[in-house]
Every structure is written in structure tokens, then in C-alpha cells.
Amino acid sequence: MTTRTTRRRFLATSAATAAALSQQAAFAAAPVPQDDATPYKLFFNQPAAKWFDSLPVGNGRLGACVFGDTARERIQLNEESIWDGEHRDRTNPKAGEAVPKIRELLFAGKVREAEALALSDMMSIPRGMPCYQTLGDLHLDLGAIGSVENYRLELNLDTAIVTTTFTHAGTHFTREVFSSAPDQVIAIRLTSSTPGKLNFTATLDRPAHFATTAIAPNRLTLSGEALPVNDNPRFPIKERQVGIKYHAELLALTDSKGTATTKDTTLTISNATEVTLLIDCATNYRYPAGLEAMQAAVAKNLNAARTRTYADLRSRHVADHQRLFRRAEISLGPDPNAKTPTDKRVQHIKDGGEDIHLLPLYFQYGRYMLISSSRPGTLASNLQGIWNESVDPPWGSKYTININTEMNYWLANRANLADLNAPLFDLIDNARASGAITAQRYYKARGTVVHHNTDIWGDTSPIDALGGGIWPMGGSWLSLHLWDHFDYTGDAAFLRDRAYPRLRENALFLLDYLIPAPDGTPYAGHLITGPSCSPENKYKLPDGSAHNLCMGPTMDTEITRAILTRLLQSATILGESSLTADADLHTRARSALAKLPPYKVGKAGNLQEWPEDYVENEPGHRHISHLFALFPDDQITPRGTPELAQACRTTLDRRLAADGGSTGWSRSWIVNCMARLEDGDAAYQSVLQLFRQSTRRNLFDVCGLKEDSPFQIDGNLGGPTALIEMLLQSHANGSEPNTNVVRFLPALPKAWPTGSFRGLQARGGLEVSLAWQDGKATTAVLKAAIDHTHRIAAPKGQSITSVRLGGTKPVSAEAADEISLPVKAGETFTLHFS
């Protein structure tokens, strides 16, 4: 092995190192927690008063939100494919002729005229997009229940079960709710400690466009069509009187002494001690043959589930969930607040306090939400994951791909959930055909393009308004997730069969989309994109007018550089001799890379967001699009490009000084950027702000600062990603470009003096577990999934003092702050630090 040593001394195993080994061994060998022993529980002493305080369950396809009311329980239901609208061609027929004219106007400084033409001749027809809708609600009416004792509403993240327990009139009542991936049903179990005390009615309804029917003494249906309800002027309701058709059923199973009857649209349970309710739903998105096919699909799942005991359904569900959930965890030491309800802990932080021991729970909540909303074979997690109570949700609860959908999946590879990327990759594939049409009709380009939103039919046209709509980089950004998946897993077949073809299509589009900037413009002599925008942001011209549209925004250049770079890296890995048909494409990519404009530092020391150093219309804007090169990409790093890294820090400081980071996803992005700048204390302060501003008391992320701001899942997944980035990074961040370096504790804040993590993933197929004490790493365990040579860097101020294969066989006895470590698949290495 080759070792680069910057400090060297002979080693002896110190008492501290021995203690660290003992600590790590204990951590690795800790017994698997039982259901009632796991620290990963959200719990409350009262029911949820509103939907966005309820507790979610999901299997990727079916979701439910539980309120926990003792007398009149509401369980809100979702099925992932219930959308209004339909697949349609939204192409503006004038776009192809308009794009060159808009470019000329922008180059001539006639921005107002360019925007007017873009609005009329580029925006899709209609300008709106369909939305994701709720399935509806299950209501359980238990009659008049007065005061209760020992109430608890709990979400156990380790079992993915929501439990409500209370005592009334001497009887203890228990309800469990989960959404099973193995059996593809939502299961609800009600029990009473006193025989025959379960008496309630069950009904199904929905805000609009539904019918309920009793089809058996123990069976109700909910069916209809997801028609639009909002007459959006961008998408008139008269133009979209169509939607996905759905069919759901509720099946009730009681113990031998209980009875189930139906009358009209109500199911009644009488004198039961144990009741299991099973729910499934099918849509004509999955079953286009129609109602009979949907009914057959639902009947198949319900009939299969009813043949199993509840204990069997539960154990199958728990085993399947724990297969994913138990792969990774973060610990910041014993939790002194473990017996405090979750809402009280969150409120303590909102009131200005701190609770670092809530962060491991928050981390696992993010992993839980991804597991519950994105499984292989399901649709990708949308703006609200799969949880939505409305038929007209905020922003349509669709796929917004100028940050939000991407943030949803930052967590997957890092948190040892790489297999949950599959729905995102399917979403990318789903937009290919439409994207090729849009690329040709709008830009006369090859390849494929997606603008800032898409839907379950893979729509790719520019929608809504100029601020977001005229931005043809969404598909390119998404396709970089394919490269990241390869970078983490080392799966060469995946790179060959799935990642490279998508990178190739996006590169083809970008190479045709780029144009030379004419003399007299800020980027003269360079290739730039446009017309485009810096997503949703505006700049000010000297006359004080504010505008979105421009040529060559910084983020476009960053994404273009990333696509072309990853294309060429992929070709090198796969062997360019096997890609001879793409030789010209690779040559064009190298030439274009050399002609892309450099990144600029503005007069305030900030990274410029636009080609010119414009005055910002909104200095605290929520988007930090031009920091894409810092995170999630690695074009800007503290070691490789220190001046640009400082410009990014200045940009962040200026945004925050102007009250930026005002949404959960925005603040989460800021934490990730601070982690990449290796400022742990600044990152932690933004973690606190994420809780104080944008986290509800059930840990739901919110998009805004108001109490009733909408829930969005992106911040719930971006925040935990940032916690990982504070503890482990593995991107290119050294003297050699495009060479990954595994760095331990790169942004550890002073507030986390002691802790450990297990099962986090580094690029190159490396699983990492590590313990630290008093702010210093003590021991790390590395498990290799593939053959690879890693560059490993010790935390700042520390050295790697020994490396042992299998924990016993010495590999190195020289101290170094950075080493090169060749590994073979299946090997485990133990590292010690001083």
C-alpha cells in the first residue's frame, strides 16, 4: 500500500486508544433494540389537532396520517398515483421561432421585451400542470368518550407503526396503524383489555368527487375520479375535466364474538375485543383496463392479507422495514430527555434552547420518511412525499426539480438507502420521450430536456411563470443523481446501462443549447446557456426594474460543467474504445468545457449569481442556486478553490443577514453548504434555526415561517443529509480534481463533543462507522463493498495512527493525516486516531 505521511512517529496502543476500541466494539455489538426499547420514537400526550401535526406511515405506494383522537379518529389516506389531469402535449407552437429572438433581445439588453416574448411564446399551453390529490379519509366514531387516562400517541420509527393508547372507564384501548410493503395494505388494529368493548362506526369520504358503497357486511368502497377543483387561470378548469380514476376498499375483520354490519355507507362494529381493518386502493394509472381491473387488484391484496393473522402481517411489515431502517444511525450520547414528549422538546428549541439528543431522532425520522415514501417500483417522492390531505395542495404537490425533488434524494446514498433511489431513476426515464420532443421543438436540439417541474406523465415543458418556468436544466440536474449512485456504489453495470445513457442525452442537449456569447457581453468568447434564469430569483437593472430572464446564469454553467465532466469520467471508466460511436460527442464535450465561463466574485466578495454583478432584488432569497458548485456538487471546495469557497461563504452570510433560509428546504441547503465549508458551528446554528423556524412539533418540515405554512418533505430529507455531511464527506476536496477523499468529522460543532455513527456510506462502496470523544475521533471501522483505492483523511488536527485489517492484522504503523488505502470487497478495516 502507498502511504503519504505528513507527520510520522512510532505508535503504541495507548489507554485512550484501547478505551476507544472498547467503545467501538460495544457500539458495533450493541443488541438490536426491541420494539419498546428503541430510542427512535416520537410521542405525544394528546392527539393531533390538525393534519400537519398528525403522524405518517407509508409503504411507498399507500400512505396514511394518524390523528389519534380517542372518540372520533381520523386517518387520512393516500395512494401515490391519484392525480388530476392527464398526459397531454403542452408544447407552445411558437417556441422554436421565439427562442433565437429572445436570445437576441437579451444580448441587446432589451430584457423587458425578451420576457414579454418568452411569456407569450415559450410558456406551455396551458401554463399549469396537474396536481397530486388525497385518496380521502377513514373516520372511526367511537361515540361519546369523556375523560381518558394514560393517553399516548406514538410513532415508532424502528417498527414504522403509529400507536394510540389510553384508558377509559377501566378499559385499556390500543390502536396500531402501519402500511405494509410486503402485503401492500394499510392495517389498523384496535383492541380493548375488556372483552366486547369495541363499538364504533367506520366511514370513508373525500373532499370532492367520490362515492362510497357497502358491498358486504364487513366491506366498504371509496371510488371516483381525481377531477380538478381549482380554477387556476394558468390552467382553466374547463380544460381539464379529467383525472385518474381510483377504487379503494375497507375490509373489517373481528374476533369471533364481534360483529360487522353495513347500512348505506356506514360500517358498524359491535361487541368486539379485537378488530383489524385493512385498506387498499388501485388506480387506472396502474390498471388502465378500467374499474374491473382495479377491483381485482384490490381484492387480490385484501384477500391475501386476510388469510394471515394480524401478528403475521405485523411481523412481516416490521422485518421488511427494519431491513432498511437498521442499516445506519447517529448517536450523540445517552438521551437525558428521552421521556419528554416530542412536541415539548421541539418547543424548547423554538424557545431558544438546545437539545442535541433530538438530532439523532430527527436524522432517523428523515430516513423513515424516505423509506415510507420511496420504494423500488413506486413513484418518486413528491413535494409532500406521499402525504397530502388536499385535492388542491400547495404547488400541486408535484415534482419541482429546481431543488426540491433533488433534495428528496440527497439522503439515499449517504444514509445507506441507495436502493430507494430507484423511483427517482424511473421518474427520469419517464420524462425521456417528452423531453426529446421539447428539446427539438423549443431549442432545435438533440437529447432530452426537462424544465423546472414534471408530473407522473413526465411532462417537460416550461410552466407557471418566468421565474421558474424558463429554466431548462431540471433534467440535467436530476441525471447527476445517476452518476452519484454509481460514485457511491461502484456499480459498473449501472453506469453502463443506466447512468451513462442519461448523461449522454443531457450532454447532447446542452451542447446544442450552448451558444457563443457575442462581443461586448459579459461572457464574450465563452459558451453560455439561455434564455434561462437563476431559479425563481430576480436581479435589478440600473433603472431599478427587476427581472428573471437572462443569458448564462451561474447555476446553468455549473450544471453544464458537471454533466460534461461526469460524461467524460464515465467514458473513461467504461473505456472509450467501447464507446467509439460517441467519440465526436466526447470531443465536443472537452471543447465545450474549455469554453465555459469562469465563476466570478462580485464587488461584495460574493459568488456572482448572474454574468453581471447585478444588485439583488431580494438579498435574502430562499434559493441559493449559484452555490450548486459547492453543494451538492464539488466544483468549489475549501482546498481546491479557496477563493471561490470564501465567495460562497460571503454569499451565505449576506443571504442570512437579509433573513434568508426562510423555508425548511432553504435552511437545509444552507446547513449542507456550511458543512462543505467545514464550519461546524455555523452549520449547527443553522440546524437550530431549521428547528426554530421550519420544523413542526411532529418534526414535519414546513415551507415558510408561519404556523400554518405548508408541509414539504424536502427539508425533512435535506436536514438529515446535512447532519451526515457534518460528520462524513467523501467528495473531491483536495489538490487533485475529481479525486474523492473520505474525510472524518469535517464539520463537527463544539456542541457535539462526544458521539458515534454507524453504517453511513462514503463514495467508492465504503460503509463507515466512527466514534469520537471530546471532539476527537477515536476509532473508525470501514467495510468495503467493492475493490477500490480510497484516500482517507483524518479529522483536522489529528492523525491516523494505525490501520488494521479485520481489526487485528496491522496494515500500517505510521502516523499520517492522509493515507491511500487499497481495499477488497468484503474486507473490514479498523482505524485509530490520535
Side-chain angles (χ1 to χ4, degrees):
M1 112 181 201
T2 303
T3 304
R4 188 174 67 83
T5 306
T6 54
R7 281 191 301 141
R8 184 177 299 179
R9 61 182 172 83
F10 292 103
L11 305 173
T13 302
S14 66
T17 301
L21 277 167
S22 176
Q23 175 187 6
Q24 184 68 18
F27 183 67
V32 174
Q34 301 302 308
D35 287 3
D36 58 352
T38 179
Y40 304 124
K41 293 180 179 180
L42 286 69
F43 70 94
F44 308 84
N45 291 336
Q46 68 287 324
K50 300 178 180 179
W51 178 82
F52 38 59
D53 292 320
S54 61
L55 298 180
V57 297
N59 65 7
R61 183 179 70 88
L62 297 169
C65 285
V66 182
F67 285 65
D69 194 278
T70 55
R72 289 174 176 81
E73 173 67 299
R74 175 190 174 195
I75 300 175
Q76 184 268 319
L77 306 170
N78 285 107
E79 198 280 345
E80 61 173 354
S81 63
I82 298 178
W83 285 59
D84 70 24
E86 62 184 339
H87 176 64
R88 62 193 297 173
D89 183 357
R90 288 181 169 77
T91 301
N92 190 319
K94 299 179 181 178
E97 294 181 4
V99 167
K101 296 175 183 177
I102 294 168
R103 287 170 172 163
E104 291 176 6
L105 290 169
L106 289 170
F107 281 136
K110 298 179 180 180
V111 182
R112 193 184 310 275
E113 294 88 338
E115 290 189 334
L117 183 58
L119 199 59
S120 64
D121 289 12
M122 281 193 72
M123 302 306 297
S124 64
I125 302 174
R127 283 169 53 191
M129 188 175 278
C131 72
Y132 172 58
Q133 294 191 356
T134 182
L135 166 58
D137 295 280
L138 168 65
H139 301 278
L140 304 179
D141 189 341
L142 289 87
I145 292 183
S147 61
V148 300
E149 299 175 333
N150 305 317
Y151 179 89
R152 180 178 172 109
L153 173 64
E154 171 190 292
L155 168 57
N156 186 325
L157 302 179
D158 186 52
T159 62
I161 297 175
V162 172
T163 304
T164 307
T165 56
F166 59 92
T167 300
H168 173 63
T171 297
H172 187 68
F173 293 90
T174 300
R175 298 181 206 143
E176 292 187 333
V177 183
F178 60 85
S179 184
S180 169
D183 292 295
Q184 286 298 304
V185 294
I186 294 171
I188 303 155
R189 176 74 162 180
L190 301 92
T191 62
S192 64
S193 62
T194 303
K197 289 294 185 179
L198 287 177
N199 297 279
F200 63 89
T201 61
T203 56
L204 294 167
D205 66 15
R206 178 174 203 271
H209 305 125
F210 72 96
T212 58
T213 307
I215 58 172
N218 64 342
R219 211 154 182 162
L220 294 178
T221 69
L222 175 69
S223 58
E225 186 173 2
L227 299 175
V229 298
N230 178 19
D231 193 13
N232 184 339
R234 295 174 180 168
F235 198 1
I237 198 167
K238 64 182 180 181
E239 297 183 16
R240 51 190 179 116
Q241 284 300 306
V242 65
I244 295 292
K245 293 181 173 66
Y246 61 90
H247 174 82
E249 292 188 20
L250 166 68
L251 170 65
L253 305 171
T254 72
D255 60 89
S256 60
K257 295 185 178 181
T259 61
T261 59
T262 54
K263 182 180 180 181
D264 298 328
T265 60
T266 300
L267 186 152
T268 300
I269 299 294
S270 303
N271 305 319
T273 306
E274 299 176 347
V275 178
T276 300
L277 305 177
L278 302 175
I279 298 173
D280 187 26
C281 176
T283 73
N284 67 345
Y285 179 80
R286 298 285 192 197
Y287 299 93
L291 180 60
E292 289 186 3
M294 292 187 279
Q295 291 172 330
V298 169
K300 179 181 178 182
N301 284 339
L302 291 180
N303 290 336
R306 73 181 301 172
T307 64
R308 300 184 182 278
T309 64
Y310 175 74
D312 189 23
L313 288 172
R314 188 184 191 278
S315 64
R316 282 163 55 84
H317 157 73
V318 170
D320 173 78
H321 173 73
Q322 290 178 346
R323 171 182 60 86
L324 298 165
F325 184 79
R326 289 185 171 179
R327 291 176 183 174
E329 63 183 339
I330 293 172
S331 172
L332 295 178
D335 184 358
N337 305 314
K339 294 184 179 181
T340 302
T342 306
D343 54 330
K344 306 298 184 186
R345 299 182 71 171
V346 174
Q347 188 60 48
H348 174 69
I349 300 176
K350 289 182 179 293
D351 291 340
E354 298 183 27
D355 185 351
I356 64 169
H357 301 287
L358 188 58
L359 298 182
L361 181 69
Y362 177 75
F363 170 71
Q364 293 290 39
Y365 186 63
R367 296 181 71 248
Y368 167 84
M369 294 186 86
L370 187 61
I371 293 168
S372 302
S373 66
S374 182
R375 291 292 194 101
T378 71
L379 297 174
S381 180
N382 63 43
L383 278 175
Q384 294 182 277
I386 54 171
W387 300 283
N388 163 38
E389 69 165 342
S390 176
V391 291
D392 183 27
W395 300 285
S397 193
K398 51 188 181 291
Y399 299 105
T400 302
I401 58 174
N402 62 12
I403 175 60
N404 313 91
T405 302
E406 289 87 353
M407 184 177 287
N408 284 4
Y409 286 90
W410 287 347
L411 186 63
N413 289 307
R414 294 171 174 85
N416 212 336
L417 297 171
D419 31 356
L420 304 189
N421 278 315
L424 177 67
F425 302 155
D426 293 341
L427 179 72
I428 295 169
D429 287 347
N430 195 37
R432 289 180 61 214
S434 176
I437 293 170
T438 301
Q440 196 280 324
R441 291 182 181 175
Y442 273 70
Y443 304 104
K444 294 181 171 57
R446 298 169 297 167
T448 187
V449 64
V450 190
H451 289 81
H452 90 300
N453 267 278
T454 190
D455 59 20
I456 59 170
W457 295 283
D459 193 282
T460 58
S461 297
I463 67 162
D464 292 344
L466 293 176
I470 308 297
W471 186 72
M473 307 300 291
S476 292
W477 189 353
L478 284 180
S479 71
L480 290 168
H481 282 250
L482 295 155
W483 164 265
D484 285 341
H485 184 73
F486 163 74
D487 210 15
Y488 272 94
T489 64
D491 186 341
F494 176 86
L495 179 67
R496 180 191 65 235
D497 299 335
R498 201 148 191 198
Y500 179 82
R502 301 296 85 76
L503 291 169
R504 179 184 184 277
E505 290 169 349
N506 281 274
L508 282 169
F509 168 74
L510 291 170
L511 290 170
D512 288 351
Y513 177 56
L514 290 167
I515 64 169
D519 293 341
T521 60
Y523 283 146
H526 294 282
L527 292 175
I528 62 172
T529 61
S532 189
C533 67
S534 190
E536 301 184 31
N537 204 358
K538 291 184 178 182
Y539 58 91
K540 281 188 176 180
L541 292 177
D543 64 5
S545 60
H547 301 278
N548 298 114
L549 221 56
C550 68
M551 296 296 295
T554 299
M555 188 190 207
D556 282 19
T557 301
E558 293 171 334
I559 291 176
T560 301
R561 183 169 278 121
I563 287 288
L564 299 182
T565 298
R566 302 315 187 195
L567 174 81
L568 294 174
Q569 283 182 273
S570 300
T572 298
I573 293 166
L574 296 172
E576 292 201 42
S577 60
S578 66
L579 303 167
T580 54
D582 287 345
D584 180 63
L585 172 65
H586 299 157
T587 299
R588 289 188 64 201
R590 292 187 185 92
S591 176
L593 278 170
K595 296 176 182 177
L596 292 177
Y599 306 136
K600 294 183 178 180
V601 177
K603 56 182 177 291
N606 57 299
L607 188 71
Q608 281 188 202
E609 189 165 356
W610 296 278
E612 296 189 50
D613 196 10
Y614 292 120
V615 173
E616 295 175 307
N617 181 63
E618 188 181 344
H621 197 269
R622 61 196 176 278
H623 283 260
I624 48 173
S625 304
H626 50 314
L627 301 194
F628 168 91
L630 175 67
F631 187 91
D633 210 54
D634 56 12
Q635 298 170 42
I636 297 176
T637 65
R639 293 168 185 80
T641 56
E643 291 183 2
L644 292 176
Q646 181 55 52
C648 290
R649 178 56 188 263
T650 300
T651 297
L652 289 168
D653 290 343
R654 286 167 58 85
R655 279 283 206 271
L656 292 174
D659 298 323
S662 58
T663 68
W665 61 260
S666 177
R667 182 64 65 165
S668 294
W669 199 353
I670 288 170
V671 184
N672 279 284
C673 286
M674 289 297 190
R676 282 290 175 93
L677 293 172
E678 301 182 9
D679 190 334
D681 292 333
Y684 176 60
Q685 288 305 309
S686 270
V687 170
L688 292 175
Q689 286 302 108
L690 179 59
F691 273 84
R692 290 168 182 162
Q693 294 182 167
S694 302
T695 303
R696 292 193 64 82
R697 291 161 188 82
N698 65 343
L699 300 187
F700 264 11
D701 174 80
V702 295
C703 186
L705 299 176
K706 296 180 180 179
E707 180 69 15
D708 59 350
S709 294
F711 158 65
Q712 281 189 194
I713 198 174
D714 37 30
N716 277 123
L717 303 173
T721 301
L723 299 184
I724 297 176
E725 285 286 314
M726 295 168 73
L727 299 175
L728 177 69
Q729 296 177 12
S730 60
H731 58 284
N733 184 8
S735 56
E736 299 178 27
N738 301 323
T739 301
N740 295 332
V741 180
V742 178
R743 295 190 183 277
F744 304 123
L745 308 181
L748 184 70
K750 297 182 183 69
W752 305 352
T754 299
S756 60
F757 61 79
R758 175 183 60 82
L760 301 184
Q761 293 292 115
R763 290 169 175 84
L766 195 66
E767 182 178 296
V768 182
S769 301
L770 181 140
W772 73 93
Q773 190 168 1
D774 298 326
K776 301 290 185 181
T778 54
T779 308
V781 176
L782 313 180
K783 296 180 180 179
I786 62 172
D787 296 356
H788 193 71
T789 298
H790 294 276
R791 291 178 60 183
I792 311 287
K796 284 177 282 189
Q798 291 193 259
S799 295
I800 300 169
T801 54
S802 74
V803 180
R804 294 176 179 270
L805 175 62
T808 57
K809 180 182 178 181
V811 176
S812 171
E814 295 180 336
D817 62 5
E818 188 172 309
I819 65 171
S820 177
L821 181 65
V823 301
K824 297 288 186 181
E827 290 182 335
T828 298
F829 293 82
T830 301
L831 278 61
H832 306 144
F833 305 89
S834 66

